[in-house]
Amino acid sequence: MRTLILGATSAIAAEAAVIYAGRGDRLHLVGRNRDKLLAVAERCAGVGATTQLADFAQLDGCAAVVDAAFATLGGVDTVLLAPGDLGDQLASERSFDEAERILRINLLSVVALLIPLANRLEAAGKGRIGVITSVAGDRGRPRNYTYGAAKGALNVYLQGLRTRLYGSGVTVTTLKVGPVDTPMTRDHGKHALFGRADRVARSIVEAIDRGEAEACIPSVWRAIMPIVRSTPERLFQLFPFLSGR
């Protein structure tokens, strides 16, 4: 199997790469930090993973990134898209530059990658696409609503893409991940619902393999999120643990 991981230097994507390497997949890893990218490739040394430097925030270059990855692997069977950055919520409320940066990384760059990916896999008549989004996209909360808005819009985009590709041989899996103990959340207070990167990665790989439409990861969020989504806004605003910063 030929597996492409975009945003391979994130903690979760790196663990997924190790899992894919462990089962013998040919890997192509793409990220913007050379040292981190090489470190992930070293963990996957048994399959001789190839690497590619790219900054997905440069939207005009995303199609070329996909072209280069397909050329390197000679085609792709599975794609995991993991670009993401929580950003600075408070800064995004005062500066459009920060708001635009959060939207660009978490939504626009992913769409810019998905368009050529979906077209190539659709033409091939097979393939799996997994996209890491977030449970934050299911409800606007003061602590992260700019990030959540990007992820919520991405969830809708993936719904449409999944239906468009239905019957084409290409599956699209939306991976709604809850908070995970990674460098991205190092400044967040941890609680029992925080996942571990290695376990989350395992669940992600399994969901993509099964061709699930949507997966909440860890699975406990499958029970929590319907309550969060359906709570009336006025009631939601009264509870600091839901509506607080």
Side-chain angles (χ1 to χ4, degrees), residues 152-170:
L154 182 56
N155 290 341
V156 173
Y157 186 91
L158 293 171
Q159 288 173 352
L161 181 62
R162 182 164 46 249
T163 300
R164 170 198 146 191
L165 296 176
Y166 180 77
S168 70
V170 181

Side-chain angles (χ1 to χ4, degrees), residues 150-198:
K151 295 300 189 181
L154 182 56
N155 290 341
V156 173
Y157 186 91
L158 293 171
Q159 288 173 352
L161 181 62
R162 182 164 46 249
T163 300
R164 170 198 146 191
L165 296 176
Y166 180 77
S168 70
V170 181
T171 60
V172 178
T173 300
T174 301
L175 301 154
K176 294 183 176 182
V177 176
V180 182
D181 189 0
T182 68
M184 193 167 78
T185 60
R186 61 182 174 273
D187 296 327
H188 291 224
K190 304 302 187 294
H191 51 69
L193 293 177
F194 266 73
R196 272 180 37 181
D198 56 342

Side-chain angles (χ1 to χ4, degrees), residues 85-103:
D85 187 346
L86 287 172
D88 186 327
Q89 174 59 38
L90 293 178
S92 77
E93 296 168 19
R94 294 166 174 79
S95 165
F96 177 72
D97 287 344
E98 176 63 8
E100 190 273 342
R101 190 188 72 83
I102 293 171
L103 294 169

Side-chain angles (χ1 to χ4, degrees), residues 196-213:
R196 272 180 37 181
D198 56 342
R199 293 176 181 174
V200 166
R202 174 66 62 183
S203 296
I204 282 173
V205 171
E206 291 172 353
I208 296 172
D209 284 347
R210 290 191 296 265
E212 291 187 30

